[in-house]
Amino acid sequence: MKDPLFASNPMVTGKPGVRFYAGIPLKDFAGFNIGTLCIIDTVPRKLNDFQKKFLHTLAQSAIDYIVLKKSRKTLKEISNEFKNYFNLIPDLLCIASPEGFFKEVNTAFVKELGYSEKELLKQPFLDFVHPEDKEKTIQVWKAPMKRKRFETGIYAGHLLLSCYTNRDKMIFATARNVTERKRKRSSKRKISKRFSMQNVLNSCSDSRLS
């Protein structure tokens, strides 16, 4: 090798006895050098213009591959973090298609509905809605709104859902079980009605006494 930078290199003075080297630094999109694409040979050579251009093309392909692989790794890590958060949060969360099929359900949702994740993902949401609430749920579910909030009865209880849709019409929903709240409301109405009836009876009794 005539280049003084490589003349004393062990790969030149010893095996494999390099006599030709051509390399291009690999720069990422931020301009940082992350490596070098090089070709070596044991006999002296000289690259023509086409070979130099081809070497540049190979270098760019290598950069694209490295960046793509790194991006996939980052996306996978983000996806895993989201999945962990999705399942650890105590709120009921789900993602559904416009047709009403579950795409994702978190652990809290699975536990609340009392079905396995596989059972939920292969059936439409409406299959879990109580028959008395099915018609109302269909009307609200199909309504062309970006945001909707409604209550619906399911076989595991009564849910209050807040739903949001994106441009692809995917549905993102949070929910909570309001069965106990509805039971308390119903009890209060019954008590109120009982007292009202008692007041009427007392009034009638007072009238007869007078």
Side-chain angles (χ1 to χ4, degrees), residues 63 105 144 157:
I63 282 291
V105 288

Side-chain angles (χ1 to χ4, degrees), residues 3 7 26-27 31 37 56 86 90 100 110 134 152 154 170 206:
D3 194 321
L26 301 176
K27 294 180 181 288
L37 177 71
H56 278 281
F86 190 72
V110 171
K134 190 162 288 189
T152 185
I154 60 169
M170 294 296 291
D206 291 342

Side-chain angles (χ1 to χ4, degrees), residues 79-173:
S79 177
N80 289 336
E81 289 175 1
F82 170 76
K83 189 72 174 178
N84 289 335
Y85 171 78
F86 190 72
N87 284 317
L88 287 174
I89 197 167
D91 297 327
L92 277 62
L93 303 175
C94 73
I95 301 173
S97 68
E99 294 74 31
F101 281 87
F102 287 117
K103 293 294 185 181
E104 294 282 348
V105 288
N106 73 340
T107 302
F109 211 106
V110 171
K111 185 178 179 180
E112 187 69 43
L113 266 65
Y115 297 87
S116 71
E117 184 176 356
K118 285 184 178 180
E119 288 174 321
L120 292 174
L121 294 180
K122 69 181 181 181
Q123 296 182 63
F125 171 72
L126 290 172
D127 283 2
F128 304 97
V129 175
H130 194 278
E132 292 180 1
D133 284 339
K134 190 162 288 189
E135 178 95 17
K136 177 192 71 175
T137 302
I138 291 174
Q139 290 177 358
V140 178
W141 190 272
K142 296 296 184 180
M145 296 187 294
K146 287 189 176 180
R147 180 177 180 178
K148 38 192 158 183
R149 184 181 177 89
F150 63 98
E151 290 186 16
T152 185
I154 60 169
Y155 290 106
H158 209 93
L159 293 185
L160 173 63
L161 291 100
S162 295
C163 301
Y164 308 85
T165 57
N166 63 6
R167 291 180 180 178
D168 298 325
K169 296 185 179 180
M170 294 296 291
I171 299 164
F172 302 83

Side-chain angles (χ1 to χ4, degrees), residues 171-189:
I171 299 164
F172 302 83
T174 62
R176 68 174 183 269
N177 195 321
V178 292
T179 306
E180 185 63 20
R181 190 185 73 181
K182 289 183 72 66
R183 187 189 67 77
K184 288 180 179 179
R185 280 183 180 177
S186 178
S187 297
K188 286 180 180 179
R189 282 196 294 268

